[in-house]
Amino acid sequence: DGGITQSPKYLFRKEGQNVTLSCEQNLNHDAMYWYRQDPGQGLRLIYYSQIVNDFQKGDIAEGYSVSREKKESFPLTVTSAQKNPTAFYLCASSMPGRGNYGYTFGSGTRLTVV
Amino acid sequence: QKEVEQDPGPLSVPEGAIVSLNCTYSNSAFQYFMWYRQYSRKGPELLMYTYSSGNKEDGRFTAQVDKSSKYISLFIRDSQPSDSATYLCAMTILTGGGNKLTFGTGTQLKVEL
């Protein structure tokens, strides 16, 4: 079955550590996205990529970094510069060229700072 | 002012009720409207999408768009406990390349036996 796989499901980070969240899709979608979800604030866009080797900052990119070396993969690194990283992180993909502008989401990674 | 406003709820209804979930938006350039359902600790899943003003029906779900009022709604008929989830509206401007979605904050729905 095609879909998006996020791992791990739960992640714990110590203060000052960088952590990387994995996102892999086998839908052959061109575009991929990272969102952060906090209670009462909805989904906020961190980074997005429309094509391999290219990505753009979203609304809350500070303290995060990404790479897009392969079409299938879009990992997100939460750096020590992100002061409030505890949140639910969602990866998504889309293929707007096919006339479907909705996103397919992964099941999310819950990151907690300990 | 946010581009998309959505009543956060929570909304609690008895099983079998008709549920109305609503969003308003300020950007008249939005062309494509969606509703997502998100169960607790899961990713959102696309329920319905529509381009035009009017109604679109899919089983117990009806999506309604009124572009003149900048208002969209999702109606759920004969609501079931399995409908208990957070519902997110989303919308986008169609461009030649990729599109970014603008989401509402979500309405939490509980359908009780």
Side-chain angles (χ1 to χ4, degrees), chain A residues 12-19 77-82 85 113-114:
Chain A
F12 297 90
R13 190 193 96 167
K14 293 183 179 179
E15 295 277 356
Q17 275 186 338
N18 292 355
V19 290
T77 296
V78 184
T79 75
S80 57
Q82 170 51 237
V113 174
V114 295

Side-chain angles (χ1 to χ4, degrees), chain A residues 9-10 33 35 37 40-43 45 48 50 59 88 90 94 96 99-108 110, chain B residues 2 32 34 36 38 41-46 49 51 86 88 92 94-95 97-106:
Chain A
K9 193 172 179 66
Y10 298 97
Y33 312 82
Y35 283 88
Q37 188 174 34
Q41 296 201 49
L43 275 68
L45 182 63
Y48 65 102
Q50 297 180 4
D59 301 319
F88 189 49
L90 287 160
S94 71
N100 178 3
Y101 299 93
Y103 292 176
T104 301
F105 282 90
S107 55
R110 184 165 298 278
Chain B
K2 290 182 180 179
Y32 189 93
M34 291 149 280
Y36 285 82
Q38 184 177 22
R41 300 187 184 88
K42 300 288 186 184
E45 56 178 327
L46 182 64
Y49 64 90
Y51 288 88
T86 296
L88 298 146
T92 189
L94 300 181
T95 62
N99 60 295
K100 290 190 292 179
L101 300 191
T102 301
F103 287 88
T105 52

Side-chain angles (χ1 to χ4, degrees), chain B residues 53-65:
Chain B
S53 282
N55 294 349
K56 181 179 180 180
E57 193 172 314
D58 184 2
R60 295 185 296 111
F61 298 90
T62 299
Q64 185 178 79
V65 173

Side-chain angles (χ1 to χ4, degrees), chain B residues 80-98:
Chain B
Q80 303 295 310
S82 59
D83 295 327
S84 298
T86 296
Y87 291 80
L88 298 146
C89 64
M91 47 201 78
T92 189
I93 301 166
L94 300 181
T95 62

Side-chain angles (χ1 to χ4, degrees), chain B residues 1-5 24-30 69-71 91:
Chain B
Q1 183 189 8
K2 290 182 180 179
E3 276 193 297
V4 179
E5 299 277 0
T24 58
Y25 61 95
S26 57
N27 188 346
S28 59
F30 285 134
S69 302
K70 300 192 187 69
Y71 189 90
M91 47 201 78

